[in-house]
Amino acid sequence: MFERFTREARAIVTSAVEEAELRGDSRVGTEHLLVAAAGARSLGGTLPTREALRDQLNRLDEEALRSVGLDPILLGTDHRSRPAQLRKHLPFTGAAKEALKGALKEAIALGHRHIGAEHIALALTTAEPPDRALAALEGLDMSRQELRSSILRRIEKAS
Amino acid sequence: MTWGLLAGADADNPARGLQAVVLLRRLADRLEETHVRAARVEGWTWQQIGDALGVSRQAVHKKYRR
């Protein structure tokens, strides 16, 4: 399947892995794919910015810490880096794998032979909730339908 | 006294609760790493560290040797 990925789509997958490492997460999830996709030039303007998405994910973490009585300010960013001995090749979550498979389906449905950034982004909008990427979008007041149609409009304009 | 960490655990937000679990585990891992290294510097044996953590000597050694 990956041989059909465009250069940009491959870069999204690589960048998602880096994003997960950066956040100290143990798996590469849909939220990391979303942040990575937000940096794709061909999607410019359809997704929130990387920074906005990262801030939103941080906000979700802060809410989670507060819900168990911990002050995120006192903790600083200690919860965000993993102990050195646990750092290794990060696996993808089930949902992230589904999204990559979904990208292929999106390409086929549109009659495209390649799998690009737009197909990964479309696949992310079809995740089954609860989903971290959808939660981040929701926090930024962007519905999956809204995102989906703006990506589709962009594809139409480009073709 | 019934107030505690789990007082809010019956809340209706498992997504938030599970994310809290992930973050707490990571904090515990960081804390463990810091103190295992400190104990080694102080000359604790792997057996003593394992006992203190409630795990086997082999488990700590495997994780932190180097």
Side-chain angles (χ1 to χ4, degrees):
Chain A
M1 180 175 89
F2 283 108
E3 63 278 0
R4 288 220 233 162
F5 274 51
T6 61
R7 186 184 294 249
E8 195 176 42
R10 283 168 208 235
I12 288 177
V13 176
T14 316
S15 154
V17 176
E18 286 165 7
E19 191 67 25
E21 282 167 358
L22 202 71
R23 296 193 64 81
D25 292 327
S26 54
R27 282 173 176 256
V28 185
T30 54
E31 70 273 38
H32 308 114
L33 284 171
L34 184 66
V35 173
R41 188 164 298 196
S42 72
L43 289 171
T46 54
L47 286 166
T49 65
R50 280 185 154 193
E51 276 322 302
L53 288 166
R54 284 182 182 136
D55 285 351
Q56 189 53 36
L57 290 171
N58 291 346
R59 229 167 287 149
L60 290 171
D61 281 353
E62 286 161 18
E63 275 171 28
L65 289 168
R66 260 187 231 110
S67 78
V68 291
L70 290 173
D71 184 344
I73 296 163
L74 289 180
L75 289 172
T77 52
D78 277 359
H79 61 285
R80 225 166 271 149
S81 67
R82 292 178 62 68
Q85 87 280 3
L86 295 181
R87 270 180 218 136
K88 53 180 180 208
H89 182 72
L90 299 183
F92 283 69
T93 64
K97 283 186 210 160
E98 283 304 313
L100 294 177
K101 274 188 247 163
L104 172 65
K105 281 186 213 147
E106 298 286 352
I108 292 170
L110 289 164
H112 297 167
R113 301 183 62 83
H114 69 279
I115 300 167
E118 65 276 32
H119 306 113
I120 295 178
L122 284 172
L124 287 170
T125 68
T126 67
E128 195 70 49
D131 176 81
R132 301 263 304 154
L134 293 180
L137 286 171
E138 204 176 296
L140 292 167
D141 287 325
M142 186 178 273
S143 76
R144 58 160 97 205
Q145 290 87 352
E146 231 178 297
L147 177 57
R148 200 174 169 80
S149 34
S150 80
I151 298 166
L152 287 171
R153 271 199 305 276
R154 185 163 177 113
I155 293 173
E156 213 166 289
K157 247 197 316 194
S159 63
Chain B
M1 183 78 168
T2 54
W3 188 89
L5 188 68
L6 300 181
D10 60 347
D12 52 356
N13 197 334
R16 191 180 62 194
L18 292 169
Q19 182 64 7
V21 171
V22 169
L23 299 173
L24 286 171
R25 281 209 182 110
R26 205 177 296 163
L27 275 170
D29 285 341
R30 292 285 312 269
L31 202 57
E32 182 183 287
E33 183 188 45
T34 302
H35 292 296
V36 168
R37 302 229 182 274
R40 286 298 290 172
V41 169
E42 274 189 25
W44 292 37
T45 64
W46 292 113
Q47 182 68 65
Q48 288 168 324
I49 298 172
D51 287 351
L53 284 171
V55 300
S56 72
R57 170 177 60 83
Q58 289 87 348
V60 206
H61 183 245
K62 196 176 159 213
K63 207 162 156 189
Y64 293 98
R65 74 180 152 211
R66 268 180 317 168

